[in-house]
């Protein structure tokens, strides 16, 4: 059995892996970046090391993380999801250092990580794929020629990465150039690879994914499907299992396809094969995520199988403790992703401080989180605060229980997606099990009003016994100080001025007042590109710039018609809420 595992991640997934380690009597080791020395995942681990600051995000620093694994005495690394979880180079770096990677081997990851290669592998394995190009598209002209020949709409998709990055849809020839450059540009920024390919875009499909797990002894087991159709910007908001539209025969065929693809690449560990289910009942391979998924929790609820624990056992060389005949899902489970986003402002990310965090409880309720009072939602990372996971004997009970749990959830300080989920779970289309990937565009009434301004952070309470974190040579140590806290004699700094409260217009634009000429940023982030020139004439709703925040690209549109008399930002500039982007007169 593994003795000591370094978790190369943060937040709720790091906490999740730590808990699985505890149940297997494995010592967990945490890593953390600047400002995270007192995070929950750091405190729960047996040991913790700061990743030295560098030119990239700390959790992407392969040499530093592998070096910490060796220094800490870890014999394995669990990558969680995101960051390095699907990086074959990281797998090879672990192997070179004599550290076990808890996940699939590098060849399998490479075969499935590149979507073009994955399509070819799926075809060879007899798995149906969406009609598309056989290889990458090198130019706008080449791509438009294929689309003209095969018909619109087409999806322009990044060959690397996942999570909805590098995905654009062109519904007409006039939209193709923007879709191509947008997809390639986003792929370059996120995956350092601008390669794209084309697929026919399926209208109103269901997003169905199959959970598989495999060991090093030739066993591959299918743990059922999940329905992840309700999405914003091609990223999931709510997941459930079983899918309300998958019958036993379709479930069997999807499972057989997922197993065939896994066997084709000698897959090991947990993985998810994603499909699009068309309105005519045919399903098509989309991609395979070679890692644990955010939504693995719903599968655990209905099967009773701890998928993370099985990952650790498989990495230790154990065979799976169950066969296909032992998998008997019971009941229905739903997961709501509680993100720091304002759904009423086009799901704009809302970094800040969570003043108060109170999770719901009761029968069939699970909350995976790494948040507590005064925890910060950092703009450098994704917006996930918690995963609310609920089980019921059937779908109706699961929906009712989820509504009850959402009503109990208390998160103050930042807007969240809780109001959206509350409206979604009473919407007749969702309740009837009929939601497709087009649900949000077709039903904008499910979006709540824009959130109110957030409350100020509370003062820290005094304590006569305090734990203080110290860092020695990059290693986190905790000591207890007894006695009253030391009070600074310096005068308190003046309170910061409040930025103007942004309002919402089309495509995430900001309107501080009805007649104001200044277009301000509704969020904190980095300007990726500016789409207008000084002196340009624009209409209300025209795209002005794109701001990246918390791993999401946000289009900022003109709040009024007029002439751009001033441009205050350029690509690469950091902006805050209320920063002036342009003046339109």
């Amino acid at each position: 059995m593994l003795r000591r595992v370094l978790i190369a991640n943060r937040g709720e997934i790091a906490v999740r892996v730590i808990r699985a380690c505890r149940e297997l009597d494995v010592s967990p080791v945490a890593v953390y970046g600047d400002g995270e020395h007192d995070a929950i995942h750091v405190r729960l681990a047996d040991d913790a090391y700061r990743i030295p600051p560098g030119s990239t995000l700390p959790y992407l620093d392969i040499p530093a993380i592998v070096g910490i694994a060796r220094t800490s005495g870890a014999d394995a690394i669990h990558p969680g999801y995101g960051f390095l979880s699907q990086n074959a180079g990281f797998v090879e770096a672990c192997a070179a250092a004599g550290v076990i990677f808890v996940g699939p081997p590098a060849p399998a990851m490479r075969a499935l990580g590149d979507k073009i290669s994955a399509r070819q592998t799926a075809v060879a394995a007899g798995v149906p794929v969406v009609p598309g190009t056989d290889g990458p598209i090198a130019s706008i002209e080449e791509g438009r020629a294929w689309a003209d020949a095969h018909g619109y709409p087409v999806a322009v998709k990044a060959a690397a990465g996942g999570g909805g990055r590098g995905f654009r849809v062109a519904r007409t020839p006039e939209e193709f150039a923007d879709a191509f450059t947008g997809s390639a540009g986003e792929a370059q920024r996120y995956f350092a690879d601008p390669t794209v390919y084309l697929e026919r875009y399926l209208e109103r499909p269901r997003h169905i994914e199959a959970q598989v797990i495999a060991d090093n002894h030739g066993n591959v087991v299918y743990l059922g499907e999940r329905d992840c159709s309700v999405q914003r910007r091609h990223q999931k908001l709510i997941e459930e299992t079983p899918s309300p539209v998958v019958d036993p025969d379709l479930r069997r065929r999807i499972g057989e396809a997922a197993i065939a693809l896994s066997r084709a690449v000698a897959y090991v560990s947990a993985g998810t094969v994603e499909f699009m289910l068309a309105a005519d009942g045919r399903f098509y391979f989309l991609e395979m995520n070679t890692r644990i998924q955010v939504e693995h929790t719903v599968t655990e609820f209905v099967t009773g199988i701890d998928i993370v624990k099985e990952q650790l056992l498989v990495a230790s060389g154990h065979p799976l403790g169950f066969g296909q005949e032992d998998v008997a899902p019971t009941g229905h489970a739903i997961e709501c992703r509680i993100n720091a986003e304002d759904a009423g402002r086009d799901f704009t990310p809302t970094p800040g401080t969570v003043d108060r965090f109170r999770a719901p409880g009761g029968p069939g309720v699970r909350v995976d989180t790494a948040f507590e009072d005064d925890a910060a939602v950092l703009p450098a990372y994704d917006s996930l605060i918690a995963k609310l996971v609920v089980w019921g004997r059937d779908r109706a009970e699961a929906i009712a229980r989820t509504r009850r749990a959402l009503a109990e959830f208390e998160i103050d300080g930042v807007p969240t997606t809780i109001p959206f989920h509350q409206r979604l779970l009473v919407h007749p289309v969702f309740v009837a099990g009929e939601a497709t990937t087009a649900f949000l565009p077709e039903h904008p009434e499910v979006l709540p009003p824009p959130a109110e301004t957030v409350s100020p952070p509370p003062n820290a309470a005094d304590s006569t016994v305090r734990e203080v974190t110290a860092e020695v040579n990059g290693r986190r140590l905790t000591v207890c100080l007894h006695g009253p806290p030391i009070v600074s004699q310096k005068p308190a700094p003046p309170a910061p001025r409040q930025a103007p409260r942004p309002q919402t217009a089309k495509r995430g634009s900001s309107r501080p007042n009805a007649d104001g000429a200044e277009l301000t940023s509704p969020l904190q982030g980095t300007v990726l590109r500016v789409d207008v020139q000084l002196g340009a004439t624009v209409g209300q709703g025209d795209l002005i710039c794109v701001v990246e925040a918390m791993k999401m690209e946000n289009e900022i549109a003109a709040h009024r018609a007029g002439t751009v008399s001033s441009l205050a930002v350029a690509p690469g500039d950091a902006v805050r809420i209320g920063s002036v982007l342009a003046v339109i007169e």
Side-chain angles (χ1 to χ4, degrees):
M1 191 62 211
L2 300 176
R3 298 176 297 101
R4 194 163 165 87
V5 173
L6 183 142
I7 297 100
N9 218 298
R10 63 185 295 278
E12 63 84 18
I13 187 58
V15 172
R16 173 71 184 86
V17 177
I18 288 170
R19 287 171 172 159
C21 287
R22 292 285 185 216
E23 294 184 19
L24 291 171
D25 199 26
V26 174
S27 175
V29 178
V31 292
Y32 60 96
D34 287 344
E36 296 188 289
H37 61 275
D38 200 36
I40 290 180
H41 79 280
V42 172
R43 302 201 308 263
L44 287 179
D46 284 345
D47 215 343
Y49 291 79
R50 180 176 62 88
I51 307 171
S55 59
T56 185
L57 282 175
Y59 299 95
L60 296 176
D61 193 330
I62 292 176
I65 291 173
V66 173
I68 290 172
R70 298 185 67 177
T71 299
S72 68
D75 51 358
I77 293 178
H78 194 301
Y81 47 67
F83 295 128
L84 298 173
S85 62
Q86 297 187 115
N87 187 310
F90 183 45
V91 180
E92 291 167 340
C94 291
V99 178
I100 296 170
F101 178 81
V102 182
M109 190 176 285
R110 281 206 166 90
L112 297 170
D114 180 280
K115 293 185 178 65
I116 297 174
S117 171
R119 279 176 56 89
Q120 297 167 347
T121 302
V123 170
V127 178
V129 300
V130 179
T133 58
D134 295 327
I137 296 298
S139 67
I140 293 174
E141 292 71 25
E142 180 185 351
R144 186 180 283 131
W146 187 94
D148 290 343
H150 292 82
Y152 287 86
V154 297
V156 186
K157 303 176 70 173
R165 308 295 181 196
F167 185 107
R168 297 289 191 278
V169 176
R171 297 186 176 277
T172 65
E174 292 74 24
E175 294 179 357
F176 188 85
D178 285 346
F180 181 91
T181 56
S183 178
E186 189 174 32
Q188 176 63 41
R189 289 190 294 274
Y190 282 96
F191 315 124
D193 181 356
T195 306
V196 298
Y197 68 103
L198 303 185
E199 286 182 349
R200 282 296 306 274
Y201 181 70
L202 300 179
E203 297 282 7
R204 306 185 79 250
R206 304 290 288 243
H207 186 125
I208 308 295
E209 61 186 31
Q211 176 71 62
V212 296
I213 190 162
D215 61 23
N216 286 292
H217 302 271
N219 302 305
V220 186
V221 176
Y222 166 54
L223 301 181
E225 86 287 346
R226 298 184 288 258
D227 194 314
C228 313
S229 298
V230 180
Q231 303 176 2
R232 53 93 173 90
R233 307 178 192 180
H234 308 294
Q235 297 184 44
K236 302 160 190 172
L237 286 164
I238 189 169
E239 301 97 347
E240 59 181 310
T241 186
S243 168
V245 297
V246 173
D247 60 26
D249 178 66
L250 179 57
R251 181 170 297 116
R252 175 188 58 79
R253 290 187 287 122
I254 288 175
E256 289 173 350
I259 289 175
L261 183 69
S262 301
R263 290 193 182 280
V265 295
Y267 195 83
V268 174
S269 194
T272 301
V273 186
E274 303 200 351
F275 299 95
M276 302 305 283
L277 178 63
D280 62 5
R282 290 186 291 181
F283 67 93
Y284 302 95
F285 170 72
L286 181 63
E287 64 182 355
M288 184 169 184
N289 287 306
T290 54
R291 53 173 168 79
I292 195 74
Q293 290 277 91
V294 175
E295 60 272 20
H296 73 277
T297 54
V298 291
T299 299
E300 291 181 330
F301 242 152
V302 300
T303 63
I305 294 170
D306 186 326
I307 298 174
V308 177
K309 191 185 295 184
E310 290 296 328
Q311 282 189 296
L312 295 169
L313 290 167
V314 166
S316 300
H318 293 267
L320 293 176
F322 51 88
Q324 192 65 60
E325 66 282 358
D326 301 313
V327 180
T330 302
H332 198 97
I334 296 173
E335 175 183 280
C336 297
R337 298 194 189 193
I338 310 301
N339 298 315
E341 297 174 8
D342 188 346
R345 290 187 171 91
D346 194 27
F347 293 92
T348 298
T350 55
T353 299
V354 173
D355 302 338
R356 176 181 172 84
F357 184 89
R358 296 293 182 272
V365 175
R366 163 180 169 179
V367 177
D368 282 18
T369 187
F371 273 79
E372 58 189 348
D373 292 358
D374 301 328
V377 181
L378 300 175
Y381 304 111
D382 65 53
S383 61
L384 185 66
I385 293 177
K387 301 186 311 194
L388 171 62
V389 196
V390 175
W391 179 90
R393 290 169 295 178
D394 54 29
R395 189 169 187 264
E397 183 176 67
I399 289 175
R401 187 167 282 168
T402 305
R403 292 174 187 161
R404 185 265 299 167
L406 286 167
E408 292 181 11
F409 223 135
E410 297 181 41
I411 301 177
D412 297 335
V414 295
T416 74
T417 52
I418 288 176
F420 162 77
H421 286 294
Q422 290 174 315
R423 295 166 72 101
L424 172 67
L425 286 162
V426 297
H427 195 283
V429 172
F430 180 83
V431 172
E434 298 173 352
T436 71
T437 57
F439 176 80
L440 279 185
E442 291 177 352
H443 298 284
E445 69 275 9
V446 79
L447 298 176
E452 298 296 327
T453 54
V454 300
S455 59
N459 294 323
D462 293 339
S463 173
T464 57
V465 179
R466 308 182 312 285
E467 285 191 347
V468 176
T469 299
E471 193 177 280
V472 180
N473 294 329
R475 182 178 184 181
R476 178 188 183 276
L477 301 172
T478 301
V479 296
C480 288
L481 296 182
H482 297 264
I486 299 173
V487 179
S488 172
Q489 299 302 311
K490 296 180 180 179
R497 295 181 60 188
Q498 295 294 317
R501 178 186 168 199
Q503 304 292 327
T504 297
K506 186 179 177 183
R507 301 173 77 177
S509 67
S510 172
R511 297 184 64 187
N513 59 69
D515 302 316
E518 292 183 343
L519 173 68
T520 59
S521 178
L523 70 162
Q524 177 178 330
T526 302
V527 177
L528 292 181
R529 69 175 193 267
V530 178
D531 287 70
V532 296
Q533 295 181 340
L534 191 65
T537 300
V538 297
Q540 182 178 347
D542 287 351
L543 182 62
I544 301 299
C545 63
V546 177
V547 176
E548 180 190 44
M550 300 172 76
K551 299 187 177 181
M552 293 175 62
E553 294 190 5
N554 303 271
E555 295 182 338
I556 310 300
H559 63 298
R560 61 185 296 182
T563 301
V564 179
S565 61
S566 174
L567 278 174
V569 294
D573 287 353
V575 296
R576 296 184 177 275
I577 295 174
S579 295
V580 175
L581 305 175
V583 177
I584 302 175
E585 297 180 311

